[in-house]
Amino acid sequence: MKLKKSIVQMGLAASVLLPLPMVAVAQQGAAADIEEVVVTGSRIRRDSFDSSSPVTVVDSAAIEANATPNLGEVLANQTFNYGTDVQTNGYAARGQGGVTSSANLRGLGAGATLNLVDGQRTNNTNLNATIPQIAIARIDILKDGASALYGSDAVAGVVNVITNKGYEGTDVSIFHQEDRGGDLVEKQYELITGTATDNGHFAMALSYSTRSTLEQTDRPEFLRSGFQRSGTGNPGTFAVPTRNATGQLTGASARTPDPGCGIDNGSGTDVGIKGSYASGQLLGTTCNFHFGEFWDFMSAQDKMSLWTNYEHRFNDNLTNDFNINASRLETFTRGSPQNPGGRIPELPVVAGEHPGNPYRAMANRGNGMEPLYAQAGPDGNPLRNANGVVQLASDPFNPALGIPFNEDVRITELRINAFKLQTQPTAVNDDGAFPQGADRFDIRLADTLTYEMPGTSWAVSLAGVYQFGQDDALEKNSSQLALIQGINGTLVADPSSPDTTAYYNPFASSVFNCTNRVCANTGTPQYANSQAVVDAITIAGLTQTESTFKSVELAATGEVFEIPTGMILGAFGVEFRQDEVDVDFDAARNQCDYHQGGCAVDYQAEQDVSSAFFELAVPLTTNRLGEAEFQIAGRYTDYGGSIGDSFDPKVALLWQPMDILSLRGSWSSAFIAPGLADLYSPQTCALQNAGDPFDNSNAFRVACNEGNLNLTPETADVFNVGASLSLLEGSLSIGVDYAEYDFKDRISSTTLNQVVNLDYQAFLAAGGNPASQASKLAWFNGPNSDKNINRDVDGVMSRVIVSRLNAQTMKHRALDLYARYDLDLGSFGNMVFNLDGTQALEYSYDLGLGIPAGDGVGSQNEAIAEVPPMPEFRVNATMNWNLGNHSALLRARWIDGFEYSFNSGALLAGQIALNGRSAAASMTYIDANYAYTFDSLIGDRATRFEVGARNLGDRYPEPFFNLGGIETFVHDIRGRMMYIRINQEI
């Protein structure tokens, strides 16, 4: 009999305590044939293994118990994982798409966690689009630095997806879940089949899943209590010239909202209902746009994946293992008709002759505002002097002596297509939301040829990986050229009629009729935008990214030599890998025609990495002191060019002074090179909600970032120490681990708020007077202000260039506790209790540049891009019961409270004033399921029925006065999700 040795799977959602003796060997007499394997945490092949590093194993049953088609959620539920994107909250300060869920061990960033499939590197970190779940045997999560073993990126740890290569038979799985009101529905259909061949084994799995949209109006209480209105004027805010009592221009202008603001509330003033505040809500001098109805909490998606494995044994010594994995993930996201901000200062003045201009020239000579009249020019328009100034009639208040005219106004804020009642672009949905999303395709081929040297313990393997991915991302924008032409009345909206030009009307007069700056919904607009004009200024953009990954590794493992305490085992190898990226932006962006974001140039980049590694396991066994093993490993990596090279060592010790106790510790260094996007990405822009301390305004602004060729690699020292205890003849296992990560030169990004606040502090330090507009304008136009902040002539901020940089230091310390108890109930079955808990002790950061340092533990950390929300404590407690064909699970997930740390100080002040809370309360989510297996419901094949619920109590956190109303990195907006799963053997 040949028995494959592996890590014991410890039950549903259990942490496996690897430092304890993990392998129970089934033997038939003395003739048992033990197959040696390589397990996560070591490159050495052996027949049993106790790790000196902490490893959590999530087996296939635990994956199913998470009741989700998205593997990213399984990782997000681990107590030591922070900041994984599993829900959609697109306009939050840290936007979440909910479709590209990457492991984020310790919250150190997706780039600090290495992803493996069957021990081989993959460059697809999106756990939602990888292996069909039915083909996953388990997930090994190594919670320790492992750059010496696996190379760059393995700083926080390693996530190794182990596939079910040895599966035999055929199994079909159907999964369906939905929330309490049927607003959100998820379905998954999977199949796996496998069979032995004459010289090996073949297995294949297929998966298809689909998810509907959960719109934010499906959770109206969070829209009503949250913040979902834009501080950017809707449809715009304008600088309107002021006049004295005689009608003469004063040379100044007044910030003025559109006169159509608030004329028609549509469906009403309940922001939880679509169509509310249809013409905006006037607050102060800003016409606010309520945008929550256009956004989602969960985006719709369709997902397909294929996995195949073929193992062929040529003879007793030579084996080949070949894998193919392909996936396609389509996501469908909604958003506002257009984003605010953009290249406003480049737009022309809207002339008084513009047919939609509602700003009638008026002056107050003591009787209130009265209309003015101008001299008529030869063309019938108001007469202008050489400077373009309209010439008033001899008596500008007498209509008999002149003609009416409107003011030339300058646009200071603009929300294109955001006026809910106006003609909308053809590209938008029926509800006015702009469709966005992505289409991601990935294929990965991996092959390993292994030769076992006859008469020795050595095995040599040659492994290769080829992976190709294509990502088509849809995004919305506006044509800067068409906007300029439309404002000037020279826009050719219909290419088939090149001699016909049209105006674009940026005012509410495209819907209303306005007289003397007073608008009314008469059903006859002053000047409506045609469908052709609206479509001409709208860009449905497309960015296509192709990535290629190639790697070749030659490795050998076996016995090195024997010493008095036992045999030294070793592994040695060399690796070459290459990353390539090819980014193709659409023509409008290539031509600098994007209103938000401007230009982008297509680019290609490549990174070649060569490395050599070794690992030695040295037994230190003595009869008096128990058993011990010392591990030493190292990897030399050469990135070439300006990045350079690095040698990263690791030393670890495992000591078992007695059978029931295991002690372990490790230290390693890590080296993370800047990624291709970090170095070469052209300028890309997105919205950030930010305050401007110069004028105390709060609004969405455009923040643009780009690659930085001056970035240096990150380095880190990683330290782990832990202990495991096995009691009651192995029925009770308890473990504790302490982890410490000390980063230098962490690759980070500044936020818009940080850039502006630093500029404001410099202004004050230079003696600037924040109460004086002249003082502020002098600063903006002077040499010492930050020129990465773009402002118009009035000092209104429109766009900020943020930057990638190397932070000075970051340090994270955490404590993990885990326990398992097996209870035999005799005729009442068996129960297994599991407990996993993590305490974040420290997450200190110092970005440099004068940005205040801090500690992110117990905080939302919204203003620090690299630090996710980090409750101090997280605990998962699970109880599993089995009796014959019956099984049940009850799980509690407790999340500690945390202090609010909004990106906007004004919103935080509003939260405290409205709700009286500056912190989120702790919460407990309860999950439960029950399953029964019929041995022969269909023929002689087993059928398993399972019903269950996530968040059985239908609990939600208290909404807060911030974007989205909920911190979706921590809490679940879906509420109770009921599900059913059927597994049928065929």
Side-chain angles (χ1 to χ4, degrees):
M1 173 182 177
K2 183 172 286 188
L3 178 66
K4 190 168 186 176
K5 301 293 297 280
S6 65
I7 300 173
V8 174
Q9 299 176 351
M10 302 289 281
L12 298 178
S15 288
V16 175
L17 310 182
L18 278 179
L20 297 176
M22 294 318 305
V23 182
V25 181
Q27 297 187 2
Q28 290 186 353
D33 186 5
I34 307 301
E35 181 181 348
E36 296 180 331
V37 296
V38 177
V39 297
T40 307
S42 174
R43 304 299 300 265
I44 297 173
R45 197 170 71 155
R46 60 182 89 187
D47 61 1
S48 65
F49 178 55
D50 298 333
S51 175
S52 53
S53 297
V55 178
T56 291
V57 174
V58 184
D59 65 14
S60 58
I63 294 172
E64 284 193 350
N66 278 270
T68 172
N70 300 309
L71 197 61
E73 286 194 61
V74 178
L75 269 295
N77 287 336
Q78 304 303 310
T79 61
F80 45 80
N81 189 95
Y82 304 88
T84 290
D85 179 347
V86 296
Q87 299 175 80
T88 305
N89 199 347
Y91 61 78
R94 286 178 289 205
Q96 302 150 55
V99 291
T100 53
S101 301
S102 301
N104 194 347
L105 304 185
R106 306 296 183 190
L108 295 172
T113 299
L114 178 64
N115 291 266
L116 305 175
V117 175
D118 291 324
Q120 293 179 305
R121 182 182 288 257
T122 173
N123 72 340
N124 181 10
T125 63
N126 183 8
L127 295 169
N128 288 347
T130 52
I131 309 294
Q133 282 191 21
I134 200 170
I136 298 175
R138 69 178 193 271
I139 303 173
D140 292 350
I141 306 172
L142 177 65
K143 302 180 294 182
D144 190 12
S147 290
L149 299 171
Y150 298 105
S152 178
D153 306 333
V155 180
V158 175
V159 173
N160 189 10
V161 176
I162 308 297
T163 58
N164 199 353
K165 295 181 179 181
Y167 180 83
E168 293 196 10
T170 301
D171 194 3
V172 175
S173 174
I174 300 174
F175 174 82
H176 177 100
Q177 74 169 346
E178 59 184 72
D179 69 345
R180 64 177 186 228
D183 301 313
L184 179 65
V185 177
E186 288 188 277
K187 302 176 183 179
Q188 184 180 55
Y189 309 92
E190 294 194 303
L191 176 144
I192 186 171
T193 185
T195 184
T197 65
D198 292 340
N199 297 298
H201 189 274
F202 173 79
M204 180 182 71
L206 300 168
S207 177
Y208 170 75
S209 65
T210 181
R211 183 175 73 195
S212 65
T213 300
L214 181 68
E215 298 181 358
Q216 294 207 356
T217 49
D218 294 327
R219 299 291 183 266
E221 60 272 26
F222 287 90
L223 279 183
R224 295 175 185 130
S225 299
F227 185 81
Q228 46 71 53
R229 65 176 187 265
S230 175
T232 300
N234 171 35
T237 303
F238 307 92
V240 180
T242 58
R243 295 180 180 270
N244 61 23
T246 66
Q248 297 297 322
L249 291 171
T250 65
S253 60
R255 184 182 190 276
T256 309
D258 193 291
C261 184
I263 297 300
D264 189 337
N265 283 329
S267 64
T269 59
D270 183 352
V271 297
I273 299 175
K274 290 184 178 182
S276 63
Y277 291 110
S279 62
Q281 180 187 20
L282 185 62
L283 296 173
T285 59
T286 299
C287 187
N288 283 245
F289 170 63
H290 290 269
F291 49 77
E293 65 183 80
F294 299 112
W295 294 83
D296 302 327
F297 276 130
M298 297 293 291
S299 295
Q301 67 177 32
D302 287 334
K303 178 172 59 177
M304 296 177 287
S305 59
L306 161 73
W307 168 81
T308 62
N309 172 260
Y310 177 58
E311 181 185 59
H312 182 78
R313 181 172 289 277
F314 296 98
N315 53 49
D316 289 342
N317 303 108
L318 186 62
T319 304
N320 192 77
D321 188 85
F322 179 67
N323 291 275
I324 299 177
N325 176 221
S327 64
R328 182 180 183 184
L329 175 63
E330 294 181 276
T331 62
F332 312 95
T333 305
R334 300 161 61 251
S336 299
Q338 268 302 344
N339 291 332
R343 297 156 63 186
I344 301 297
E346 301 174 29
L347 296 178
V349 169
V350 184
E353 290 83 357
H354 188 293
N357 189 328
Y359 291 101
R360 181 74 166 84
M362 306 181 78
N364 185 351
R365 54 179 176 177
N367 300 316
M369 296 297 288
E370 300 178 61
L372 298 174
Y373 297 87
Q375 300 175 42
D379 57 358
N381 290 321
L383 180 67
R384 294 176 180 265
N385 65 14
N387 295 322
V389 178
V390 172
Q391 301 301 289
L392 297 177
S394 56
D395 180 357
F397 295 96
N398 188 343
L401 298 179
I403 60 174
F405 72 100
N406 296 333
E407 299 286 12
D408 299 337
V409 299
R410 183 167 44 81
I411 300 172
T412 60
E413 297 174 343
L414 188 64
R415 282 206 66 122
I416 304 159
N417 298 333
F419 208 60
K420 297 179 183 180
L421 298 174
Q422 72 179 51
T423 302
Q424 292 293 344
T426 304
V428 305
N429 298 335
D430 291 340
D431 61 2
F434 203 106
Q436 303 171 92
D439 188 350
R440 299 176 175 89
F441 171 76
D442 186 83
I443 185 167
R444 180 178 182 270
L445 288 75
D447 189 77
T448 302
L449 184 67
T450 303
Y451 179 66
E452 300 179 10
M453 296 183 178
T456 75
S457 64
W458 284 86
V460 179
S461 63
L462 178 64
V465 176
Y466 172 84
Q467 190 164 0
F468 172 81
Q470 179 174 308
D471 188 330
D472 295 341
L474 305 176
E475 55 184 316
K476 60 193 174 188
N477 218 292
S478 301
S479 166
Q480 183 76 357
L481 177 60
L483 282 170
I484 293 172
Q485 292 174 339
I487 291 171
N488 288 332
T490 60
L491 175 64
V492 178
D494 184 358
S496 64
S497 302
D499 297 328
T500 303
T501 59
Y503 279 94
Y504 166 66
N505 187 358
F507 305 105
S509 58
S510 65
V511 174
F512 303 138
N513 192 283
C514 304
T515 303
N516 294 338
R517 305 190 189 184
V518 177
C519 300
N521 193 354
T522 64
T524 304
Q526 179 176 327
Y527 184 82
N529 287 315
S530 69
Q531 188 68 61
V533 166
V534 173
D535 288 342
I537 66 169
T538 301
I539 295 176
L542 173 66
T543 299
Q544 185 176 90
T545 302
E546 294 182 352
S547 59
T548 305
F549 172 75
K550 305 170 189 174
S551 73
V552 178
E553 181 185 89
L554 178 65
T557 176
E559 297 176 352
V560 181
F561 58 86
E562 190 170 9
I563 58 177
T565 53
M567 182 65 68
I568 295 178
L569 305 178
F572 306 88
V574 292
E575 180 192 39
F576 172 80
R577 68 177 189 266
Q578 182 182 78
D579 277 294
E580 299 176 8
V581 64
D582 186 344
V583 181
D584 182 13
F585 298 99
D586 57 58
R589 200 166 178 188
N590 288 156
Q591 296 164 10
C592 300
D593 196 30
Y594 269 28
H595 177 62
Q596 293 102 2
C599 310
V601 179
D602 301 343
Y603 76 96
Q604 296 176 321
E606 178 182 309
Q607 190 174 73
D608 296 339
V609 183
S610 301
S611 62
F613 64 89
F614 76 91
E615 179 189 359
L616 295 173
V618 182
L620 305 175
T621 306
T622 65
N623 293 330
R624 296 177 59 186
L625 298 177
E627 296 185 355
E629 181 179 276
F630 177 69
Q631 178 193 35
I632 181 171
R635 178 180 286 258
Y636 171 78
T637 305
D638 184 7
Y639 280 84
S642 61
I643 297 177
D645 56 13
S646 174
F647 177 73
D648 297 301
K650 179 173 184 177
V651 292
L653 179 67
L654 173 67
W655 178 36
Q656 292 179 292
M658 58 186 74
D659 290 342
I660 65 171
L661 178 64
S662 178
L663 304 174
R664 58 192 175 274
S666 67
W667 172 88
S668 63
S669 71
F671 172 97
I672 305 178
L676 294 176
D678 294 327
L679 296 169
Y680 301 109
S681 174
Q683 190 176 100
T684 56
C685 301
L687 292 181
Q688 289 186 15
N689 185 264
D692 185 353
F694 285 95
D695 60 12
N696 294 317
S697 65
N698 188 84
F700 282 95
R701 271 100 178 193
V702 175
C704 300
N705 205 342
E706 60 187 349
N708 180 359
L709 291 173
N710 295 318
L711 289 175
T712 59
E714 302 179 21
T715 60
D717 291 322
V718 184
F719 175 70
N720 262 279
V721 62
S724 301
L725 190 63
S726 178
L727 302 171
L728 304 178
E729 297 182 347
S731 295
L732 175 62
S733 301
I734 302 172
V736 62
D737 283 295
Y738 169 82
E740 182 177 302
Y741 304 82
D742 193 356
F743 276 91
K744 302 291 191 300
D745 296 322
R746 179 86 187 273
I747 297 174
S748 310
S749 293
T750 56
T751 66
L752 191 155
N753 264 338
Q754 289 167 345
V755 174
V756 176
N757 287 336
L758 287 175
D759 190 54
Y760 184 68
Q761 294 303 318
F763 165 72
L764 295 178
N769 180 5
S772 168
Q773 180 68 5
S775 177
K776 290 184 286 189
L777 290 176
W779 173 259
F780 300 149
N781 297 321
N784 297 321
S785 63
D786 191 338
K787 302 310 177 188
N788 288 314
I789 304 172
N790 296 345
R791 298 179 182 273
D792 66 11
V793 295
D794 294 323
V796 176
M797 181 170 60
S798 59
R799 190 170 68 143
V800 175
I801 309 300
V802 297
S803 59
R804 288 181 172 93
L805 52 81
N806 286 106
Q808 290 186 355
T809 60
M810 283 190 176
K811 186 174 183 179
H812 178 58
R813 298 184 300 115
L815 196 66
D816 294 333
L817 173 69
Y818 33 91
R820 173 188 170 105
Y821 178 57
D822 291 280
L823 178 62
D824 187 355
L825 300 176
S827 60
F828 293 99
N830 176 264
M831 297 194 75
V832 179
F833 300 89
N834 287 280
L835 179 70
D836 299 274
T838 296
Q839 180 185 10
L841 301 171
E842 178 185 1
Y843 201 132
S844 58
Y845 52 86
D846 185 354
L847 303 182
L849 300 179
I851 298 170
D855 190 333
V857 172
S859 174
Q860 187 184 11
N861 299 313
E862 196 174 78
I864 305 296
E866 282 67 38
V867 185
M870 186 160 290
E872 181 179 358
F873 294 97
R874 291 181 65 188
V875 178
N876 291 342
T878 308
M879 179 178 67
N880 297 276
W881 171 76
N882 290 276
L883 174 62
N885 292 359
H886 301 269
S887 65
L889 172 145
L890 185 66
R891 176 174 56 201
R893 294 177 284 129
W894 180 75
I895 301 172
D896 194 12
F898 53 89
E899 292 291 326
Y900 293 135
S901 175
F902 294 173
N903 195 42
S904 165
L907 290 183
L908 182 58
Q911 159 66 20
I912 296 173
L914 292 172
N915 300 318
R917 301 188 313 275
S918 61
S922 60
M923 277 196 65
T924 301
Y925 296 97
I926 302 296
D927 308 327
N929 69 29
Y930 167 78
Y932 183 81
T933 301
F934 296 88
D935 294 326
S936 55
L937 184 64
I938 301 178
D940 60 350
R941 303 298 183 181
T943 306
R944 184 172 183 267
F945 287 90
E946 178 186 354
V947 294
R950 288 167 51 93
N951 191 3
L952 184 64
D954 200 26
R955 298 199 63 197
Y956 295 90
E958 288 291 329
F960 57 52
F961 188 64
N962 199 358
L963 300 165
I966 181 175
E967 181 49 78
T968 42
F969 273 123
V970 178
H971 290 300
D972 195 337
I973 192 64
R974 290 167 292 187
R976 181 191 300 121
M977 296 291 291
M978 302 290 295
Y979 66 89
I980 182 171
R981 180 187 284 114
I982 302 173
N983 289 84
Q984 177 63 55
E985 291 182 354
I986 298 176

